Amino acid sequence: MNQQFLEALKTILNEEQWKEQEPMKLHTTFRVGGSADLLVTPDLVQLPSVIKLCKLHQMPYTVIGNGSNLLVGDKGIRGVVIVCGKPAEEISFDGAHMTVGAGTMLAKAANAAAEHSLTGMEFAAGIPGSVGGAVVMNAGAYGGEMKDIIESVKVLDLDGKEHVLSLQELDLSYRHSCIPEHGYIVTEATLCLERGDMQQIRDTMEDYRNRRAEKQPLNYPSAGSTFKRPEGYFAGKLIMDAGLKGYTVGGAQVSEKHAGFVVNIGDATAADIKQLMQDVSDKVKEQYGVVLEPEVKMIGEF
Ligand SMILES: Cc1cc2nc3c(=O)[nH]c(=O)nc-3n(C[C@H](O)[C@H](O)[C@H](O)COP(=O)(O)OP(=O)(O)OC[C@H]3O[C@@H](n4cnc5c(N)ncnc54)[C@H](O)[C@@H]3O)c2cc1C
């Protein structure tokens, strides 16, 4: 790593905010991935300076949230991995509007909304991602999605300059937003919720959490649904019908409990998971003529 860059970075970040050769398996729910050259955790005040420094030194960077939708290659990530930090005031309320930092976990935000008797975010309580990652992915479950509750989002552009994007500008659709194509970093989201009954909100969240525990292989590392839902089908059902439940490559397996999930049953490598995903796609295409598109984002070197 460029020494000049590192020295300059040390003037922005504290010692505990950066790590060289950091294993990405510690930062992904798949528990897979080689090392990042450098991993930094700037707070939102430091973040623009880090971006500007990367640009000055032509240092590539990758932004991650909680790593719950990522498959990082076994050879790791070149350049800098930025884990989005939290603002001093993580969550604030203005009537039924809630403003949340990108690094805040969805579960924490959903619980805070419930405490304020605000309804609309119950669907997100069991999704193990950050608010930033949820905006980027337009995360959704049980008939709700981020698109339904986002009012606006603060982002930094490639020059570290702040912009506020409206719901329309975000161009949200099924597991898609405009954020990656512009290279934006989400720093904050303002959500528009509605007044509701606190007990009812809590009961709904509990019901969704129970349904997840019943149907999903939460006892194994995974990145949630491996493939997007193809129009008119369910990926898990197609995979199950193709006889692939329990199909294994190395330490990667199509979950016995829910065929829509690939799980790490031991020391899976990224190569195992990638190969298994390819095999599953090929078999489903061959049997049903349906193309499965990964929902999981593959990053780094494989
Ligand atoms: C057990 C399990 C269940 C799941 N259930 C669901 C579900 O019901 N519904 C659902 O939609 N998803 C689900 N997921 C997938 C995942 O939790 C979501 O996609 C989540 O929104 C990802 O958030 P994250 O913070 O982990 O993002 P990451 O996985 O870290 O990143 C995802 C993408 O967002 C980008 N990104 C992250 N933060 C930022 C930021 N601040 N600025 C710019 N880019 C950023 C990354 O570069 C990457 O491209 C599940 C995952 C698991 C493991």
Side-chain angles (χ1 to χ4, degrees):
M1 172 105 358
N2 176 328
Q3 278 309 314
Q4 250 187 331
F5 171 77
L6 276 183
E7 289 309 318
L9 195 66
K10 284 178 195 169
T11 65
I12 303 171
L13 302 177
N14 304 321
E15 213 174 298
E16 67 274 13
Q17 287 179 297
W18 60 278
K19 286 177 180 158
E20 284 189 85
Q21 293 306 317
E22 176 69 355
M24 288 306 295
K25 60 169 68 175
L26 303 179
H27 299 273
T28 58
T29 55
F30 247 143
R31 299 280 169 253
V32 164
S35 296
D37 290 343
L38 185 72
L39 182 136
V40 298
T41 51
D43 64 31
L44 293 185
V45 178
Q46 297 161 326
L47 187 58
S49 307
V50 173
I51 303 303
K52 285 175 192 158
L53 193 67
C54 287
K55 188 173 179 197
L56 185 68
H57 289 266
Q58 295 179 323
M59 185 63 70
Y61 61 83
T62 308
V63 181
I64 67 164
N66 194 44
S68 65
N69 201 48
L70 297 180
L71 176 59
V72 178
D74 297 314
K75 294 187 185 138
I77 303 179
R78 302 291 72 81
V80 185
V81 170
I82 300 175
V83 183
C84 218
K86 295 174 185 165
E89 195 181 11
E90 240 182 289
I91 304 176
S92 62
F93 291 90
D94 177 8
H97 301 260
M98 178 165 93
T99 297
V100 202
T104 300
M105 292 295 286
L106 280 175
K108 185 168 183 180
N111 282 327
E115 264 170 43
H116 283 73
S117 301
L118 292 176
T119 180
M121 210 184 168
E122 294 88 330
F123 74 88
I127 302 177
S130 65
V131 167
V135 170
V136 173
M137 297 302 300
N138 184 25
Y142 302 112
E145 55 181 351
M146 293 303 288
K147 190 178 177 208
D148 301 336
I149 55 172
I150 289 175
E151 185 171 273
S152 62
V153 165
K154 269 191 192 162
V155 297
L156 295 179
D157 66 17
L158 294 167
D159 295 316
K161 206 165 147 251
E162 188 172 276
H163 302 267
V164 179
L165 303 183
S166 66
L167 175 63
Q168 284 72 18
E169 286 169 311
L170 282 165
D171 190 22
L172 299 175
S173 58
Y174 177 60
R175 303 297 172 264
H176 168 271
S177 70
C178 76
I179 303 289
E181 62 216 49
H182 295 287
Y184 289 146
I185 300 181
V186 177
T187 57
E188 191 182 277
T190 297
L191 310 177
C192 183
L193 304 170
E194 281 173 31
R195 293 256 157 246
D197 176 72
M198 190 191 292
Q199 194 52 51
Q200 208 175 324
I201 294 167
R202 290 207 163 123
D203 289 347
T204 304
M205 278 164 45
E206 181 66 12
D207 174 44
Y208 291 163
R209 271 193 293 261
N210 289 340
R211 285 205 238 169
R212 274 178 194 276
E214 196 187 313
K215 299 229 168 73
Q216 300 182 357
L218 301 182
N219 49 334
Y220 286 108
S222 81
S225 298
T226 317
F227 298 99
K228 291 186 185 177
R229 196 175 54 236
E231 229 179 300
Y233 299 91
F234 289 102
K237 177 146 189 352
L238 287 170
I239 297 166
M240 185 174 71
D241 292 349
L244 291 166
K245 245 187 184 182
Y247 175 69
T248 304
V249 175
Q253 187 174 73
V254 174
S255 166
E256 301 266 11
K257 191 169 178 183
H258 188 319
F261 282 56
V262 170
V263 289
N264 177 357
I265 53 168
D267 289 324
T269 60
D272 293 340
I273 296 173
K274 198 174 171 209
Q275 184 61 54
L276 182 136
M277 286 171 65
Q278 188 62 54
D279 293 352
V280 166
S281 296
D282 290 349
K283 197 79 189 272
V284 167
K285 172 96 194 306
E286 189 186 299
Q287 289 205 15
Y288 302 103
V290 179
V291 176
L292 292 179
E293 195 192 323
E295 176 167 330
V296 170
K297 302 236 183 198
M298 297 194 204
I299 61 171
E301 295 180 357
F302 280 78

